[in-house]
Amino acid sequence: MNKKILAYVALFLVFVYAVVPMLINISGRLDFYYTLTSVALLSIASAGVWLTFYIGRINIGQGAFALAGGYVSAILISQYGFNFWVTLPIAGLFCAVLSVFIGLPILRLRGVYFAMVTLVLTEVMRLTTLALPITQGAKGITSLPLPSGLEIFGLKLIPDFSTLENPKVGFYMMAITLMIIAYAVLYRIVNSRLGHLCRSLQQNEELASSIGVNTTYLRVLTYSISSFFGGIAGASFVAITQSIYPSSFQVADSINFMLNCFLGGLGYVFGPMLGTLMLYFGWDLLFTIGKYQMLVYSSLLIILMLFLPNGVLSLFDRKEKR
Amino acid sequence: MEQIIVNGLYLGAQYALIALGLTLIFSLMNVMNFAHGQMYVMGGFITYTVVSQFNIPFFIALIISGMALAVIGALIEKFLFRPVIKKSKRDESTMLLAAGIGFFLDSVILLAFGEKQRGVPKIIDGVFNWDFRIIMPYDRIVIGCIAIAMIIAFMLLMHYSKAGRAMRALAQDKVAATLMGVNVDRYQMIGFALGAMLAGVVGGLLVTITGINLGMGGPTSTKAFIMIMIGGAGVIPGAIVGGFILGMMESVGLSVLSQYGDITYLLIFASLMIFLAIRPHGLMGKPWG
């Protein structure tokens, strides 16, 4: 069993690092690099949302943390001259700390109430970035430099992106690497003691706390991990677009993060990854049909939900049982 | 000051009517209807089309749009929500379905009615003026009164009719209601249709005053969610209270803090989060929400 999983992982790695760039070069559709980079980064944010689903909370507030992470990175780069690679973990940590303060009161809420408060949180974050002087209001922060190189003890780890002949490939590699790390962490969390405890929270919080599970601590911990992912995704997006505005991540984005999780399946670690790929790519591919894009896209969503209400990955589930 | 209170009441009556439909759907089926704002926009466009294309009086158009939305709501419940709720492992899956329906209605509105801002002519001309303390156009007064009358009619329906009693029973305890012989499927469908109808009627009412456009759906849904959270999800008086509170806060905030731009909404949202942290199930909500 373990060997099988390792083989799958190896296959996946070869596919994303070698086969995909090769296919893109053959087909000449270089714009797919950008699409796939976005998918990879969005799926990191969705992974965070999925983790809050795992403790039984509907999180529609990931956009807030993506925006916060993006602004932290952008402000550090533009005003204090930090290297992007240093700001990336700082942005994540900032969001994690922020989410502890926000999470402590609001994680007591459940069900729809939590969902709606996090939805409002996205709007609060957008309005805050509009109002604060350091975020420069609606103008946003623009013309950020491309990520510079990173050296540790003279060892060149990451080349300067502005010297690359095609920074798109660099960004693709960066996003894919971040995504793989994020999902490895997620897989590890789910298949650990922490994962078991989270499942107990999902099923019955009162029972779990009566057995002696520290529910408050667990909730805040998982929520801060989730927000960490959000912050990382937001900061990476800033590096790619080289700009950030209060409207970079809005309520619609937060809802999309949640939809990615639903579509992939809430019971599967890799559900959000697949969901993001399908939603984002589906939307992109349907661009060719012009004004009917939205109609076809939403009909497909509804049909998918009608026939696979437990997510796309539940398709494989059923086959194994037969 | 009097002006601010009257404005707040007028806004609150409309908001309460939107929130009523949403909370009714939530209490019966535990579904957060993300498509509610889109239903409201659709009602506005149907009213506009009926009035301006077929030259039918406004009040008949209002009834037509309510009926059309009721039919749409009933169909959505029967063919989309019901099978998904039955098959799904977790309640939350309906959120994706609701969001999908919201996108779908958005695109239908775009294709059928276009992206332009639409409005119908005023139903009554003239302005009510009391000593320059309260200035209110007559049509706003009429619309506000209709909204309040609708709220009262809805409350009476819920309290004194057989369908209303069945729906209240379902909202309180689904299993017990089923055991007492309430036809769950039928009343869920009626409830959803009623909720959609309310959204359609409010859309129709607003089309005479502010007009209506495609982009109003999403923000309206968000506002309606806020209202039912203030009052408590799934509690009908709560939705009315929440609607009036939000209307009043907006009216006060927009006139007192107008020079600071969007700060009103920031304050409303922030105070909502603090309020919910202290009182997690709203003013009148059930603790398990």
Side-chain angles (χ1 to χ4, degrees):
Chain A
M1 190 64 194
N2 231 342
K3 260 184 192 167
K4 207 172 149 193
I5 291 175
L6 274 180
Y8 276 134
V9 170
L11 205 67
F12 180 75
L13 290 180
V14 169
F15 184 74
V16 292
Y17 279 118
V19 179
V20 168
M22 208 173 73
L23 284 178
I24 289 176
N25 278 335
I26 292 171
S27 64
R29 289 287 304 269
L30 285 179
D31 55 319
F32 273 170
Y33 272 126
Y34 182 71
T35 315
L36 285 173
T37 310
S38 307
V39 168
L41 292 177
L42 291 176
S43 68
I44 295 174
S46 307
V49 178
W50 187 87
L51 196 62
T52 39
F53 268 117
Y54 207 63
I55 57 165
R57 292 286 193 283
I58 310 164
N59 184 354
I60 326 182
Q62 192 71 322
F65 291 106
L67 195 64
Y71 265 108
V72 168
S73 170
I75 289 168
L76 286 179
I77 293 174
S78 66
Q79 300 190 0
Y80 301 98
F82 274 58
N83 188 338
F84 164 73
W85 300 106
V86 182
T87 68
L88 191 61
I90 294 178
L93 284 176
F94 176 82
C95 288
V97 172
L98 184 68
S99 77
V100 171
F101 288 111
I102 296 175
L104 268 176
I106 70 168
L107 277 164
R108 290 165 56 217
L109 305 175
R110 282 189 205 172
V112 193
Y113 290 99
F114 183 78
M116 289 306 128
V117 166
T118 49
L119 184 74
V120 169
L121 182 65
T122 320
E123 199 60 16
V124 168
M125 197 59 85
R126 188 180 72 86
L127 293 171
T128 311
T129 54
L130 267 175
L132 284 181
I134 197 167
T135 52
Q136 300 180 9
K139 275 189 298 177
I141 299 172
T142 47
S143 53
L144 295 164
L146 284 168
S148 44
L150 186 68
E151 288 183 24
I152 293 176
F153 306 124
L155 190 68
K156 207 163 188 182
L157 283 177
I158 301 162
D160 193 335
F161 272 46
S162 50
T163 59
L164 289 179
E165 54 179 307
N166 190 354
K168 273 182 187 166
V169 184
F171 279 126
Y172 171 76
M173 290 302 175
M174 166 190 108
I176 290 290
T177 312
L178 283 176
M179 181 184 82
I180 287 168
I181 295 172
Y183 276 87
V185 169
L186 195 64
Y187 185 81
R188 185 74 194 88
I189 289 174
V190 169
N191 291 298
S192 69
R193 195 179 125 79
L194 185 61
H196 280 288
L197 292 174
C198 290
R199 273 198 293 283
S200 75
L201 284 191
Q202 184 193 328
Q203 282 163 6
N204 192 336
E205 223 161 271
E206 280 82 19
L207 189 60
S209 82
S210 77
I211 298 173
V213 176
N214 189 346
T215 48
T216 318
Y217 167 75
L218 268 179
R219 283 192 306 233
V220 173
L221 180 69
T222 37
Y223 191 55
S224 63
I225 296 172
S226 142
S227 308
F228 183 84
F229 284 163
I232 294 275
S236 321
F237 248 106
V238 169
I240 290 172
T241 54
Q242 301 181 350
S243 62
I244 186 159
Y245 304 94
S247 56
S248 295
F249 292 98
Q250 332 182 26
V251 172
D253 297 282
S254 287
I255 292 179
N256 277 336
F257 291 140
M258 178 193 70
L259 295 186
N260 293 336
C261 298
F262 276 129
L263 191 67
L266 293 179
Y268 315 90
V269 179
F270 299 102
M273 205 190 319
L274 186 72
T276 317
L277 184 75
M278 287 177 65
L279 272 187
Y280 199 92
F281 238 83
W283 178 247
D284 250 31
L285 288 179
L286 288 175
F287 187 69
T288 45
I289 53 172
K291 65 175 180 176
Y292 297 103
Q293 184 183 22
M294 190 72 161
L295 191 72
V296 176
Y297 177 78
S298 53
S299 317
L300 284 177
L301 263 187
I302 293 173
I303 292 168
L304 258 175
M305 215 50 218
L306 267 182
F307 294 103
L308 294 168
N310 298 318
V312 175
L313 283 176
S314 64
L315 204 63
F316 301 101
D317 237 23
R318 225 179 292 161
K319 270 181 194 164
E320 272 173 21
K321 267 182 203 159
R322 268 181 202 166
Chain B
M1 193 60 216
E2 292 92 343
Q3 180 70 44
I4 296 174
I5 291 174
V6 172
N7 280 346
L9 280 178
Y10 157 76
L11 265 179
Q14 291 168 3
Y15 283 172
L17 212 49
I18 302 176
L20 269 181
L22 192 67
T23 209
L24 178 69
I25 293 172
F26 177 77
S27 68
L28 288 180
M29 306 166 63
N30 219 4
V31 163
M32 215 59 213
N33 187 12
F34 274 98
H36 210 73
Q38 276 79 4
M39 289 177 171
Y40 150 90
V41 173
M42 195 139 197
F45 273 112
I46 290 175
T47 311
Y48 160 77
T49 312
V50 171
V51 168
S52 64
Q53 308 280 323
F54 306 110
N55 289 318
I56 287 171
F58 173 73
F59 288 99
I60 299 175
L62 205 58
I63 295 169
I64 293 176
S65 91
M67 286 300 167
L69 260 293
V71 171
I72 294 172
L75 292 178
I76 286 176
E77 200 280 330
K78 186 159 171 42
F79 294 107
L80 299 176
F81 278 108
R82 198 181 299 171
V84 170
I85 288 174
K86 289 217 167 108
K87 275 201 297 186
S88 158
K89 279 183 205 155
R90 293 177 68 165
D91 286 351
E92 297 99 326
S93 303
T94 52
M95 282 181 132
L96 173 61
L97 182 67
I101 292 170
F103 291 146
F104 183 78
L105 288 181
D106 250 345
S107 59
V108 168
I109 293 167
L110 178 65
L111 291 174
F113 303 108
E115 72 273 29
K116 285 200 187 104
Q117 169 92 14
R118 299 289 191 191
V120 298
K122 284 189 171 197
I123 39 175
I124 305 168
D125 279 328
V127 174
F128 174 78
N129 188 340
W130 180 52
D131 231 15
F132 287 97
R133 280 201 242 165
I134 298 174
I135 301 170
M136 198 82 180
Y138 279 124
D139 58 341
R140 292 202 179 205
I141 297 175
V142 171
I143 297 299
C145 290
I146 295 177
I148 291 172
M150 292 273 306
I151 293 172
I152 294 170
F154 178 80
M155 294 294 284
L156 291 177
L157 180 82
M158 286 305 278
H159 272 274
Y160 295 108
S161 75
K162 193 174 169 228
R165 209 162 52 228
M167 282 190 266
R168 277 186 297 138
L170 272 181
Q172 275 178 11
D173 193 328
K174 196 174 270 180
V175 179
T178 318
L179 288 174
M180 294 300 126
V182 175
N183 186 344
V184 177
D185 283 352
R186 179 156 164 237
Y187 285 109
Q188 281 189 349
M189 194 162 106
I190 292 176
F192 205 104
L194 203 57
M197 191 192 85
L198 285 177
V201 170
V202 189
L205 286 176
L206 272 203
V207 84
T208 58
I209 293 171
T210 51
I212 202 137
N213 65 45
L214 184 61
M216 286 165 91
T220 309
S221 294
T222 313
K223 271 187 195 168
F225 291 147
I226 291 172
M227 293 173 237
I228 71 169
M229 280 197 304
I230 295 175
V235 186
I236 283 159
I240 298 170
V241 173
F244 277 105
I245 289 177
L246 186 70
M248 212 48 102
M249 276 165 85
E250 252 182 44
S251 163
V252 172
L254 288 179
S255 52
V256 177
L257 301 165
S258 56
Q259 67 265 44
Y260 301 108
D262 272 342
I263 204 113
T264 311
Y265 287 100
L266 185 58
L267 277 181
I268 290 178
F269 291 151
S271 50
L272 176 77
M273 286 178 69
I274 295 168
F275 169 70
L276 280 179
I278 298 166
R279 201 169 161 75
H281 41 269
L283 285 176
M284 309 178 177
K286 294 174 273 187
W288 53 89

